[in-house]
Amino acid sequence: DAGVTQSPTHLIKTRGQQVTLRCSPKSGHDTVSWYQQALGQGPQFIFQYYEEEERQRGNFPDRFSGHQFPNYSSELNVNALLLGDSALYLCASNSQGLTGELFFGEGSRLTVL
Amino acid sequence: GENVEQHPSTLSVQEGDSAVIKCTYSDSASNYFPWYKQELGKRPQLIIDIRSNVGEKKDQRIAVTLNKTAKHFSLHITETQPEDSAVYFCAASKGGSYIPTFGRGTSLIVHP
């Protein structure tokens, strides 16, 4: 049983560029959440997708957008990258309304130069 | 929104000692409190959780306590082992969406 998978694992971008991160949820899960984890900090909630719609959003600007596909996989897009966007981006999945455990992927490490 | 404070930020103990990590939350409606362990370079993984209708929960060497009145909860690890070394995050969430707000983490170092 594959867990949550994310790609790419590492990437380097320059300020102003755009980036797309991808996530496949754990088998049987229908809900995907994205988190930003800066160095030495706890994960910060970006948004959650369920039934291909953004259900809830954290305190992140509109430069952060996402999408969920019919197979429950998801993308996180960040436009006009800033140096402060450098972080580990974690994807987590669960089943809507069931156990609260979030299953995290290994993350995508984004460095903005 | 919810605010979760976690202390200490770093905890250093000798193997076999106990370790306690404390968290407070601000939203009295929060009803689910998970704890995640993140080893260096790895994904966060749930180690134990507690719901607001329970005051304490144990799983082998790990226990969590919850005081709803004071809005604080704690993680207790007994007989620590070097493999317990990691960053531990507490979190709080409410309702059925299970969108936790995380604390800033505690780096636990267990010296052999």
Side-chain angles (χ1 to χ4, degrees):
Chain A
D1 175 26
V4 179
T5 58
Q6 292 187 242
S7 64
T9 55
H10 295 84
L11 69 167
I12 300 173
K13 294 285 187 178
T14 57
R15 282 177 295 175
Q17 284 189 312
Q18 178 265 344
V19 67
T20 297
L21 308 178
R22 296 176 176 83
C23 171
S24 292
K26 180 179 170 63
S27 178
H29 287 178
D30 56 11
T31 302
V32 173
S33 300
W34 287 91
Y35 287 81
Q36 180 193 67
Q37 186 177 23
L39 199 61
Q41 304 292 320
Q44 297 291 313
F45 174 69
I46 303 174
F47 42 54
Q48 182 186 78
Y49 277 85
Y50 170 64
E51 292 187 335
E52 302 180 49
E53 291 186 1
E54 182 182 295
R55 290 302 175 119
Q56 290 201 41
R57 188 181 185 92
N59 188 26
F60 278 80
D62 292 344
R63 299 186 298 109
F64 290 76
S65 63
H67 189 78
Q68 185 179 36
F69 300 93
N71 66 353
Y72 308 119
S73 67
S74 177
E75 287 183 349
L76 164 65
N77 301 291
V78 187
N79 295 321
L81 285 168
L82 304 173
L83 296 179
D85 294 332
S86 295
L88 179 68
Y89 288 85
L90 293 164
C91 171
S93 72
N94 63 317
S95 291
Q96 189 66 226
L98 296 181
T99 174
E101 180 176 2
L102 292 179
F103 288 81
F104 284 90
E106 295 282 359
S108 293
R109 172 75 63 187
L110 171 64
T111 301
V112 182
L113 302 177
Chain B
E2 175 67 273
N3 182 48
V4 176
E5 298 286 340
Q6 182 171 350
H7 300 279
S9 57
T10 304
L11 180 58
S12 182
V13 300
Q14 290 296 126
E15 183 177 0
D17 287 351
S18 294
V20 181
I21 302 171
K22 298 182 179 182
C23 291
T24 60
Y25 61 99
S26 61
D27 190 343
S28 57
S30 289
N31 57 7
Y32 175 67
F33 307 90
W35 287 85
Y36 285 81
K37 175 183 180 182
Q38 187 175 29
E39 297 177 5
L40 190 62
K42 301 289 187 180
R43 71 189 76 196
Q45 291 189 294
L46 181 74
I47 55 171
I48 195 168
D49 56 12
I50 190 168
R51 298 180 189 274
S52 58
N53 58 346
V54 176
E56 183 176 2
K57 183 177 180 180
K58 289 183 179 180
D59 183 4
Q60 300 182 349
R61 298 186 295 109
I62 296 173
V64 59
T65 58
L66 171 65
N67 183 327
K68 287 187 295 182
T69 303
K71 289 190 283 188
H72 67 70
F73 55 116
S74 301
L75 177 71
H76 304 252
I77 306 174
T78 59
E79 301 174 18
T80 53
Q81 301 168 2
E83 51 265 39
D84 294 330
S85 296
V87 178
Y88 291 81
F89 295 97
C90 63
S93 68
K94 60 184 178 182
S97 63
Y98 297 112
I99 298 176
T101 299
F102 287 85
R104 296 181 63 162
T106 295
S107 177
L108 173 64
I109 304 166
V110 180
H111 300 280

